[in-house]
Amino acid sequence: MTTVAPEYCPVARTLNLIGDRWSLLIIRDTFDGICRFKDFQQNLGVARNILSDRLKKLTDAGILAMKPASDGTAYQEYVLTDKGEHLFTVIVALRQWGEDNLFGEDEPHSVLIDKQTGKPVLPVALLTEDGDILSPSETQVRKVTQ
């Protein structure tokens, strides 16, 4: 049996956990207020066994948690944990990239709106400490050892 060296890339580790279509769409739907198994299944059109597997994986990873239903019924609801809430920027960045790159000029699509202003959310950007937009050429990856 061959052993695999530990994965040092945070992107690779993240994709191993949430990089499949269904996991990302479950996380998106949770941000949009969906919290029950049947509602995820209905909205996504995913097979029950796949949905069960992804919900368990996300719960085991601490991205989602289960809580009693808010309406007092016997159902359980899935909610984002603090760890899951930190994926908001990732979901918004994916959404905005799709808006900009995967739709024709007049093709209808959804847009993320600021509830207070009713205007589209500004594009996600990485900023320097001084508030300037950071480009890919201005960054580098460094391996951290402990």
Side-chain angles (χ1 to χ4, degrees), residues 62-130:
I63 292 170
L64 295 177
M66 293 179 72
K67 69 170 194 152
S70 55
D71 62 5
T73 61
Y75 294 102
Q76 293 283 310
E77 295 179 344
Y78 292 91
V79 294
L80 290 159
T81 62
D82 287 342
K83 187 176 182 179
E85 291 276 345
H86 282 92
L87 289 167
F88 183 66
T89 306
V90 174
I91 297 297
V92 171
L94 286 169
R95 173 184 290 279
Q96 290 177 339
W97 185 90
E99 289 170 6
D100 291 345
N101 294 283
L102 300 177
F103 292 89
E105 191 172 311
D106 295 325
E107 190 176 359
H109 61 279
S110 63
V111 178
L112 192 63
I113 301 294
D114 181 326
K115 285 182 180 180
Q116 290 185 352
T117 66
K119 295 180 181 178
V121 173
L122 293 174
V124 173
L126 296 177
L127 304 177
T128 65
E129 288 183 352
D130 297 331

Side-chain angles (χ1 to χ4, degrees), residues 8-30:
Y8 292 109
C9 176
V11 173
R13 282 195 181 190
T14 302
L15 289 175
N16 282 338
L17 179 59
I18 64 162
D20 69 279
R21 169 185 175 84
W22 299 119
S23 294
L24 285 169
L25 292 176
I26 289 166
I27 294 165
R28 177 210 60 193
D29 279 2
T30 308

Side-chain angles (χ1 to χ4, degrees), residues 26-81:
I26 289 166
I27 294 165
R28 177 210 60 193
D29 279 2
T30 308
F31 278 116
D32 289 343
I34 293 176
C35 56
R36 291 193 179 175
F37 186 96
K38 71 175 179 78
D39 296 329
F40 285 117
Q41 187 179 26
Q42 184 177 8
N43 195 56
L44 298 172
V46 60
R48 291 178 59 84
N49 63 324
I50 293 172
L51 180 57
S52 292
D53 176 71
R54 295 318 186 280
L55 288 168
K56 179 176 180 356
K57 185 177 178 183
L58 293 169
T59 302
D60 289 348
I63 292 170
L64 295 177
M66 293 179 72
K67 69 170 194 152
S70 55
D71 62 5
T73 61
Y75 294 102
Q76 293 283 310
E77 295 179 344
Y78 292 91
V79 294
L80 290 159
T81 62

